[in-house]
Amino acid sequence: SFKAALNSPLNNGFLRTDSFLGVIILSDEDDFSDPSRPEYSYLNGGVADQSYNNPGLEPVSNYVSYLDTLTNTTGATRRYSVSAISVLDSACKQQHNQSAPSAIVGQRYIELATATDGVLGSICAASYASTLNEIQERIIELGTQFYLSRVPIVSTINVSVNGIAIVQNNSNGWSYNPDANSILFHGTAVPAEGAAISINFEPASLNF
């Protein structure tokens, strides 16, 4: 469904080249997308519904490749994530089946969220507030990521926002992502729009 929405001409201009895309899935079943299977074909002797053995089932890796291409990013430099609020385990499935007998563990949603560094939340939670806050924080963190021009000696990195030094802290400060060679801000240290950010360091090598 998110591929259909992002490919629709009705949404032309929705995805900007400098934006961060957050896909959020809310479902108590799982994804069984097969582009070649007619809708409701299982009612007429076609491929069984909810079949992981369907040879036409679209691999989860195809969704990752699609979003990589769409956002022109990949790996540590990805500007998107897929998060899922779903049935995460058998205990939740047993509980949720009392009101929704068709509910199953969202195996493929879990796989996709994990592959794209998204957030997983249980559909059995009394409130989704904490999961949505975590998704928001993850988007803000990656949306305010700063890529460095050189590989630094990490111990020499100094970060300041509006002239105020920021501590290296994964909860309320900054952290260094060696895979993307970037600085991430977390929690209360996330800079406000228009803030003056200064990142100084000694390069690990003098070679350009």
Side-chain angles (χ1 to χ4, degrees):
S1 58
F2 70 74
K3 285 180 66 176
L6 291 169
N7 288 338
S8 172
L10 296 175
N11 290 318
N12 285 342
F14 168 75
L15 187 65
R16 303 181 307 280
T17 56
D18 61 345
S19 66
F20 183 88
L21 175 66
V23 177
I24 304 174
I25 297 169
L26 174 62
S27 174
D28 63 1
E29 296 191 18
D30 202 0
D31 170 65
F32 292 95
S33 298
D34 174 357
S36 64
R37 186 182 76 168
E39 189 74 11
Y40 300 116
S41 62
Y42 65 93
L43 295 175
N44 302 310
V47 176
D49 194 24
Q50 296 187 339
S51 173
Y52 291 106
N53 297 319
N54 173 15
L57 189 65
E58 181 137 35
V60 170
S61 59
N62 283 11
Y63 297 130
V64 177
S65 297
Y66 165 78
L67 290 168
D68 280 351
T69 301
L70 182 71
T71 59
N72 194 32
T73 58
T74 186
T77 64
R78 284 192 177 108
R79 290 200 306 271
Y80 74 88
S81 66
V82 180
S83 298
I85 299 175
S86 184
V87 179
L88 302 182
D89 51 42
S90 57
C92 176
K93 177 181 180 299
Q94 183 176 6
Q95 174 188 334
H96 199 63
N97 280 157
Q98 297 176 23
S99 58
S102 63
I104 61 174
V105 175
Q107 299 177 39
R108 285 161 56 83
Y109 295 143
I110 294 171
E111 183 181 346
L112 181 57
T114 302
T116 62
D117 197 29
V119 173
L120 287 170
S122 174
I123 205 165
C124 291
S127 170
Y128 302 149
S130 61
T131 297
L132 293 174
N133 283 337
E134 187 177 352
I135 291 172
Q136 173 184 265
E137 290 172 1
R138 185 73 54 85
I139 291 173
I140 291 173
E141 286 177 359
L142 293 177
T144 55
Q145 184 170 202
F146 289 82
Y147 297 96
L148 305 181
S149 59
R150 305 281 294 279
V151 175
I153 298 174
V154 178
S155 61
T156 69
I157 298 175
N158 290 296
V159 179
S160 65
V161 176
N162 292 330
I164 300 174
I166 306 298
V167 298
Q168 184 176 3
N169 184 286
N170 289 341
S171 297
N172 294 294
W174 64 267
S175 65
Y176 173 65
N177 180 353
D179 294 326
N181 191 35
S182 65
I183 297 295
L184 290 167
F185 289 91
H186 310 284
T188 56
V190 172
E193 183 178 358
I197 298 164
S198 175
I199 302 173
N200 297 302
F201 59 88
E202 293 182 18
S205 171
L206 295 179
N207 297 322
F208 286 90

